[in-house]
């Protein structure tokens, strides 16, 4: 099964915002990523708009022709309104706090079950596929199925952190989580700290993986190898059997 590569372009927006103006051009980079072989574009607008701005999301929605994935916390009313306005292919629900540097935990799908059921229903009614950001904990994965979500996105920081020490042990909980997801009819996405070194083994361990969202590592690698080359390198890591 081919796994889709969605390129998170938040870091491009961070670079642009550091000097003001429009260089680098977020829209052009997204279109170039598609041209170079990316299967999707991911953005994660935050309330302070410190990287991707809400206006960027609106403009991107007009031109992205691959899958458009918007990540964010649905407890921010402005975020919900934005997603319903632009109707991306997928919305990935992440329980970030407003000032959080980067995502660092998934949903408690038991404690938040009622809330998730409600908000997921809103997005699905609008025809938007929903994925829930989640830790690789078996009972939380099983509980996610009761929320009505289409997919789960496995939070892979722990895997990436432990990959070089013992990759088999590092991936073990993710394989178990993926099996529970499949048994409950959920699609499997993954993201956070996946890179050119650890990506191939993760995919080989979870053949049913549908999509990965990668930003920081891919953009950092592009500094050395070029964006077009890096996208192809990552896609090869996903689809070598």
């Amino acid at each position: 099964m081919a796994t889709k590569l969605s390129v998170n372009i938040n870091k491009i927006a961070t670079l642009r915002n550091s000097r003001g103006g429009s260089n680098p051009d977020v829209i052009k980079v997204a279109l170039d990523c598609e041209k170079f072989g990316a299967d999707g574009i991911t953005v994660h607008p935050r309330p302070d708009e410190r990287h991707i701005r809400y206006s960027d999301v609106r403009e991107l929605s007009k031109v992205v022709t691959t899958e458009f994935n918007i990540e964010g916390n649905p407890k921010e009313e402005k975020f919900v309104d934005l997603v319903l306005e632009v109707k991306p292919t997928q919305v990935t629900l992440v329980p970030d706090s407003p000032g959080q540097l980067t995502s660092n935990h998934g949903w408690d799908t038991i404690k938040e079950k009622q809330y998730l059921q409600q908000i997921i229903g809103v997005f699905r009614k609008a025809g938007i596929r929903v994925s829930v950001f989640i830790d690789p904990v078996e009972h939380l994965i099983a509980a996610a199925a009761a929320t009505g979500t289409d997919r789960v996105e496995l939070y892979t920081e722990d895997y990436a952190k432990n990959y070089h020490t013992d990759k088999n042990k590092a991936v073990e909980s993710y394989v178990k989580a993926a099996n529970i997801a499949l048994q409950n009819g959920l699609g499997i996405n993954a993201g956070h700290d996946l890179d050119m070194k650890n990506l191939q083994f993760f995919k080989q361990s979870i053949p049913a993986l549908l999509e990965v969202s990668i930003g920081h590592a891919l953009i950092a690698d592009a500094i050395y190898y070029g964006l077009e080359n890096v996208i192809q390198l990552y896609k090869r890591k996903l689809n070598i059997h």
Side-chain angles (χ1 to χ4, degrees), residues 4-61:
K4 292 183 177 181
L5 172 65
S6 187
V7 177
N8 187 320
I9 59 171
N10 275 23
K11 280 295 185 293
I12 299 297
T14 301
L15 181 59
R16 174 200 63 189
N17 295 354
S18 70
R19 290 292 294 269
S22 58
N23 186 24
D25 186 329
V26 168
I27 305 301
K28 184 178 186 307
V29 169
L31 294 176
D32 285 341
C33 286
E34 291 185 315
K35 182 171 68 176
F36 299 153
D39 304 297
I41 300 297
T42 291
V43 292
H44 188 150
R46 286 182 166 87
D48 60 7
E49 298 190 313
R50 64 181 182 268
H51 34 61
I52 285 290
R53 300 168 183 153
Y54 281 51
S55 59
D56 294 327
V57 177
R58 292 185 175 95
E59 292 306 308
L60 285 163
S61 71

Side-chain angles (χ1 to χ4, degrees), residues 117-167:
Q117 285 177 328
Q118 178 184 5
I119 194 64
I120 288 168
V122 170
F123 291 130
R124 291 193 68 189
K125 186 177 180 180
I128 304 165
R129 187 175 73 223
V130 181
S131 180
V132 172
F133 196 64
I134 195 165
D135 296 292
V137 179
E138 292 177 62
H139 67 276
L140 295 180
I141 300 289
T147 68
T149 190
D150 300 288
R151 298 185 183 185
V152 290
E153 178 173 324
L154 299 176
Y155 170 44
T156 49
E157 181 182 13
D158 191 60
Y159 164 74
K161 183 169 63 176
N162 295 294
Y163 172 81
H164 294 288
T165 303
D166 185 338
K167 64 183 181 181

Side-chain angles (χ1 to χ4, degrees), residues 33-196:
C33 286
E34 291 185 315
K35 182 171 68 176
F36 299 153
D39 304 297
I41 300 297
T42 291
V43 292
H44 188 150
R46 286 182 166 87
D48 60 7
E49 298 190 313
R50 64 181 182 268
H51 34 61
I52 285 290
R53 300 168 183 153
Y54 281 51
S55 59
D56 294 327
V57 177
R58 292 185 175 95
E59 292 306 308
L60 285 163
S61 71
K62 298 173 185 176
V63 298
V64 169
T65 58
T66 57
E67 292 201 350
F68 191 30
N69 174 45
I70 304 179
E71 300 179 344
N73 191 336
K75 292 187 178 181
E76 296 288 337
E77 186 176 345
K78 187 178 176 183
F79 174 81
V80 175
D81 291 343
L82 177 70
V83 173
L84 293 176
E85 176 189 339
V86 305
K87 291 185 171 59
T89 314
Q90 176 176 269
V91 58
T92 300
L93 309 184
V94 184
D96 280 347
S97 58
Q100 202 163 310
L101 177 64
T102 187
S103 306
N104 64 7
H105 66 282
W107 289 94
D108 183 334
T109 51
I110 297 173
K111 181 180 177 181
E112 300 274 12
K113 176 183 174 181
Q114 188 173 356
Y115 169 73
L116 288 170
Q117 285 177 328
Q118 178 184 5
I119 194 64
I120 288 168
V122 170
F123 291 130
R124 291 193 68 189
K125 186 177 180 180
I128 304 165
R129 187 175 73 223
V130 181
S131 180
V132 172
F133 196 64
I134 195 165
D135 296 292
V137 179
E138 292 177 62
H139 67 276
L140 295 180
I141 300 289
T147 68
T149 190
D150 300 288
R151 298 185 183 185
V152 290
E153 178 173 324
L154 299 176
Y155 170 44
T156 49
E157 181 182 13
D158 191 60
Y159 164 74
K161 183 169 63 176
N162 295 294
Y163 172 81
H164 294 288
T165 303
D166 185 338
K167 64 183 181 181
N168 291 298
K169 185 176 180 181
V171 83
E172 185 178 4
S173 64
Y174 293 88
V175 172
K176 291 178 180 178
N179 288 335
I180 295 295
L182 291 173
Q183 290 167 18
N184 284 275
L186 298 173
I188 305 164
N189 296 344
H192 204 94
D193 288 348
L194 294 173
D195 61 24
M196 214 168 331

